[in-house]
Amino acid sequence: MNSLRYISAIATLAMMLLSACTSPPGQPSANAEPLAPSDVLEFDTLYAENCAGCHGSQGRGGAAIALANPVYLAISDEEAMRKLIENGVSGTSMPAFAQSAGGMLADKQIDVITTEIRRRWSRPGILYGTNPPSYAPKSTGDPERGEAAYNTHCEACHGPEGHGGPKGSAITNDSFLALVSDRGLRTIVIAGRPELGAPDWRGNVTGKPMSEQEVTDVITWLASQRTENPGQPYFAANSVAAVYDRFYSNERGKTGGHWPPPQKGSNHVE
């Protein structure tokens, strides 16, 4: 019995030595190697690192719209969403994420994000029996008609001329309009922002959903409210350069046109 135990111990030791020979000291095993950033395909990680900062945890919304809004997912098809993720939206805070457009995500990672958002948060059939406006406009909008449509469907919440009201924020604010595209405005009008209590196109006036043309006209009116220099609460005449020029002009007038004024006891004239 003792000899059998001895032989068994020798065999076990030999197996351990052979195993050690196949894994040199300091070399990690295959499973221990970290994934390259472009090989991360876990949705929760990809969403948290690339989307949640604007669209909120679990797609609940934040600075940008909620992606877990089933009405939005019903009007926006997968291809349209993919293009937005790949290329971003020029002139807004939505960047391009595809490597081909200067971003950090591989095509396979964008596939995961796009597919999983729709798989997890869409609700098939949510728009059955309705006639939603199209995701993209089908006609040219008119700002005058848009203002009238705004007064009917939007003013009760967002106030006269879009300056804000008891239930909604100011939507003709120049900084807001500078940060959102026409497509983004259209998406909000159609899909609403349920996380903020804003209804979709059906809920502004009871029994009177907005028509395709009304949505297009309202967006055209809102777009017409954009300013050339948003976010500046002053006129050009009050800019730093203008104030600077006026100050030195006045000072030169006090000193006979010389600035800085001559020092006492000095014959120097500028």
Side-chain angles (χ1 to χ4, degrees), residues 71-140:
V71 174
Y72 164 65
L73 295 176
I75 64 171
S76 171
D77 60 35
E78 187 167 337
E79 183 60 26
M81 177 178 284
R82 182 182 178 84
K83 287 181 178 178
L84 285 175
I85 297 172
E86 286 179 337
N87 303 314
V89 181
S90 178
T92 75
S93 54
M94 173 66 180
F97 283 95
Q99 292 176 346
S100 60
M104 298 293 292
L105 296 182
D107 289 346
K108 59 187 177 182
Q109 293 175 305
I110 295 176
D111 285 339
V112 170
I113 293 173
T114 305
T115 302
E116 284 299 303
I117 283 175
R118 305 187 72 83
R119 187 186 70 81
R120 295 178 181 217
W121 299 329
S122 63
R123 287 170 52 190
I126 191 171
L127 295 183
Y128 286 171
T130 67
N131 185 28
S134 62
Y135 185 56
K138 295 181 178 179
S139 61
T140 301

Side-chain angles (χ1 to χ4, degrees), residues 139-211:
S139 61
T140 301
D142 179 87
E144 292 186 5
R145 290 199 309 258
E147 184 174 11
Y150 171 87
N151 293 339
T152 299
H153 295 279
C154 315
E155 184 179 36
C157 288
H158 294 286
E161 299 182 359
H163 294 322
K167 298 180 181 178
S169 61
I171 55 174
T172 51
N173 175 276
D174 57 350
S175 295
F176 168 72
L177 289 174
L179 291 170
V180 62
S181 66
D182 288 2
R183 173 63 63 85
L185 290 171
R186 186 177 183 89
T187 298
I188 294 171
V189 171
I190 299 173
R193 291 202 62 173
E195 74 279 14
L196 299 178
D200 60 37
W201 89 100
R202 298 167 292 183
N204 297 295
V205 178
T206 303
K208 189 178 181 181
M210 295 180 74
S211 68

Side-chain angles (χ1 to χ4, degrees), residues 23 26-34:
S23 300
Q27 179 175 324
S29 64
N31 294 333
E33 294 182 12

Side-chain angles (χ1 to χ4, degrees), residues 174-175 177-178 223-232 234 236:
D174 57 350
S175 295
L177 289 174
S224 73
Q225 308 301 306
R226 289 194 174 102
T227 61
E228 185 176 353
N229 298 301
Q232 298 185 13
Y234 48 80

